[in-house]
Amino acid sequence: MIAFILPYEWMMVSGLKSQANIFADVSPLSWKTFIPLQVTFENLRELFIDRGVGRALLNSFLVAAFQVVSSLILCTLAAYALTRISFKGRNTVFAIILATFMLPAEALVVPLYQLISAMSLQDTLLAVGVPWIASAFGLFLLRQAFESVPLELDEAAKLDGAGHFRIFWSVILPIVRVDLVTFVLMIFLFSWNGFLWPLVAIQSTENTLVQVAIAQSVSPGTLPNWGLTFAGASVATIPLIILFIFLQRLFIPGLARTGLK
């Protein structure tokens, strides 16, 4: 636990130090490395006022929220169809979808850019989120969760006159809510930490996402301002930590169940 917490704590503390104090306190390693004696908020001021990171945080949140909601609707419906509706080639369809998960993101950049150009979505937040709402990983996770629900419940619901939508909404989803929380957190995490595709899809400063904005805080040809970089990295992780704190009670059991299946 200490091995994970101390580097993160050092990063957050370094974001509250001047460039000179960061290097002065790091060697030799002591308590001064992890506790700031001369706190400065200059790095945070530069981030939010001069660099406009607040707008980038909002952009990242909007993209992540759109991606989570869209993926949740699309993947739950697809998982239901692949587990509850019998049709020829069902396993083949799932295998093809799952195979797309093996493709590296770098190989998809050019065709995805051609796709958003054809849809006239260049330099928009939709261009960042739309290509990833059909998540093969999300479908894999939810299909496993749906398969754990006994088919006898479907038969009982059909005897009461329920159709596919009512079985999906009233029977399946309440049972797999723990897995849905895991799905939401994983998709939010993937979206929030995205860098390559947001860098390619967005050109304007007002639509930049937070990970790209932090990387662009380093001016080419100059020495990095490590205090500014650490402050930016710390700010970027705060929404993820808050989300994890609120959902950890359901996220950890859901992740354990996924690993056991």
Side-chain angles (χ1 to χ4, degrees):
M1 181 65 75
I2 294 177
F4 286 99
I5 292 178
L6 280 185
Y8 182 72
E9 199 266 345
W10 173 72
M11 179 185 71
M12 295 195 73
V13 166
S14 297
L16 299 175
K17 293 180 179 179
S18 64
Q19 181 93 329
N21 285 339
I22 292 174
F23 289 102
D25 294 342
V26 78
S27 180
L29 196 66
S30 67
W31 60 272
K32 293 181 181 178
T33 307
F34 304 100
I35 300 176
L37 295 180
Q38 297 177 343
V39 176
T40 175
F41 295 100
E42 179 60 25
N43 295 322
L44 294 174
R45 188 204 65 77
E46 185 174 347
L47 269 180
F48 284 96
I49 297 178
D50 299 341
R51 307 278 181 171
V53 168
R55 176 61 183 268
L57 281 169
L58 177 62
N59 291 338
S60 289
F61 178 79
L62 292 175
V63 170
F66 167 77
Q67 200 167 324
V68 165
V69 173
S70 302
S71 298
L72 195 59
I73 295 172
L74 196 62
C75 291
T76 50
L77 291 174
Y80 180 86
L82 290 172
T83 55
R84 256 47 191 185
I85 300 176
S86 297
F87 58 90
K88 188 176 181 180
R90 187 174 68 174
N91 292 331
T92 304
V93 170
F94 177 66
I96 293 173
I97 295 174
L98 199 60
T100 63
F101 185 55
M102 311 298 176
L103 295 174
E106 292 80 2
L108 300 175
V109 168
V110 174
L112 284 180
Y113 192 81
Q114 292 174 335
L115 177 63
I116 65 167
S117 297
M119 298 170 68
S120 301
L121 292 177
Q122 304 101 311
D123 198 22
T124 64
L125 297 182
L126 281 176
V128 182
V130 165
W132 308 105
I133 60 176
S135 169
F137 167 76
L139 178 60
F140 171 73
L141 189 150
L142 292 179
R143 182 177 181 267
Q144 286 186 300
F146 281 31
E147 282 186 335
S148 68
V149 180
L151 292 173
E152 287 77 9
L153 293 178
D154 296 29
E155 299 300 327
K158 288 177 182 177
L159 290 176
D160 288 339
H164 280 300
F165 180 76
R166 187 177 170 190
I167 295 173
F168 168 75
W169 185 260
S170 302
V171 178
I172 305 293
L173 291 188
I175 294 176
V176 301
R177 62 182 181 279
V178 172
D179 302 277
L180 293 179
V181 170
T182 304
F183 173 86
V184 166
L185 195 53
M186 296 297 288
I187 296 297
F188 191 93
L189 183 66
F190 289 151
S191 175
W192 191 269
N193 287 333
F195 178 77
L196 178 60
W197 177 243
L199 179 65
V200 173
I202 299 295
Q203 290 82 43
S204 60
T205 304
E206 60 269 22
N207 287 334
T208 299
L209 270 63
V210 64
Q211 305 295 351
V212 178
I214 293 171
Q216 290 176 342
S217 66
V218 180
S219 302
T222 62
L223 290 175
N225 184 340
W226 291 110
L228 187 65
T229 303
F230 289 143
S234 301
V235 167
T237 59
I238 290 175
L240 297 178
I241 293 174
I242 294 174
L243 188 63
F244 178 77
I245 289 173
F246 279 103
L247 298 179
Q248 64 171 333
R249 185 174 60 85
L250 296 174
F251 171 69
I252 294 175
L255 201 61
R257 285 175 55 182
T258 303
L260 292 174
K261 291 171 186 174

